[in-house]
Amino acid sequence: MWNVPNSLTVFRIFLAPVLVVVLLTEFPEKELWGLAIFLLAAVTDILDGIIARRTNRITTTGAMLDPIADKLLMSGAFISLAELGAAPAWMVFLIIAREFAVTGLRMVALERGIAIGANRLGKAKTTSQVVAVSLLIFSLRYPAWGPLAEVALWVALALTVISMVVYFWQNRLVVAR
């Protein structure tokens, strides 16, 4: 159970509340610290999967904890950005609601013996969210980056909603039962 990939996932879970505290506490260069923490956590997400597959260390624990870690990190980041006025709350709500909806779909499917894995669109969604959060945090320190961050947020939102629709469409028979 305790291997390098799972340790990286647990570390990402630990980093999520640290990120929120850093972003929402006033101290010099908090945005740069927040960006560094967020990017470190994003790198652990990439590394845990690569290491698990290459070393054949894929575990049930890791498969369960990894999506939880991802959702904690992204939700914490987006909620903090909404609190700071860098992201509209309605957009943050849609992004987080998609995660709950797709997780619910996966749970219903698993109950019926069907595993729904991530697809390319889901991975593109995650990548776009990492880019958007990074740019939004950066724009807190350097406002000139705000317009680019806003575009990135709209792209992330579009991919988030589209990926949800695709997941539900591709698995509509699971939902219909």
Side-chain angles (χ1 to χ4, degrees), residues 20-76:
V20 171
V21 169
V22 166
L23 288 176
L24 297 180
T25 302
E26 288 300 322
F27 65 91
E29 299 184 359
K30 73 173 186 169
E31 301 86 1
L32 299 178
W33 283 103
L35 181 59
I37 292 166
F38 179 75
L39 290 175
L40 175 62
V43 167
T44 68
D45 186 25
I46 295 166
L47 288 178
D48 68 7
I50 291 171
I51 293 169
R53 284 187 293 280
R54 288 194 180 161
T55 63
N56 199 24
R57 299 271 190 230
I58 298 170
T59 65
T60 303
T61 301
M64 289 173 51
L65 287 179
D66 187 66
I68 291 169
D70 296 344
K71 286 162 188 43
L72 285 172
L73 177 67
M74 296 309 292
S75 296

Side-chain angles (χ1 to χ4, degrees), residues 5-150:
N6 289 354
S7 297
L8 288 170
T9 299
V10 169
F11 182 58
R12 189 163 67 259
I13 290 170
F14 168 77
L15 287 176
V18 172
L19 173 66
V20 171
V21 169
V22 166
L23 288 176
L24 297 180
T25 302
E26 288 300 322
F27 65 91
E29 299 184 359
K30 73 173 186 169
E31 301 86 1
L32 299 178
W33 283 103
L35 181 59
I37 292 166
F38 179 75
L39 290 175
L40 175 62
V43 167
T44 68
D45 186 25
I46 295 166
L47 288 178
D48 68 7
I50 291 171
I51 293 169
R53 284 187 293 280
R54 288 194 180 161
T55 63
N56 199 24
R57 299 271 190 230
I58 298 170
T59 65
T60 303
T61 301
M64 289 173 51
L65 287 179
D66 187 66
I68 291 169
D70 296 344
K71 286 162 188 43
L72 285 172
L73 177 67
M74 296 309 292
S75 296
F78 275 117
I79 290 168
S80 297
L81 290 165
E83 174 69 18
L84 293 167
W90 70 268
M91 291 176 115
V92 169
F93 173 79
L94 287 177
I95 289 167
I96 294 171
R98 180 264 186 212
E99 298 307 324
F100 277 100
V102 171
T103 298
L105 171 66
R106 285 186 169 131
M107 290 172 67
V108 168
L110 267 180
E111 190 176 79
R112 296 177 179 152
I114 302 165
I116 300 174
N119 61 24
R120 286 185 186 177
L121 192 54
K123 291 186 183 296
K125 178 264 314 174
T126 300
T127 301
S128 71
Q129 288 180 357
V130 168
V131 170
V133 167
S134 298
L135 288 170
L136 287 165
I137 293 171
F138 195 71
S139 72
L140 291 170
R141 175 82 175 179
Y142 302 104
W145 286 79
L148 181 60
E150 188 174 333

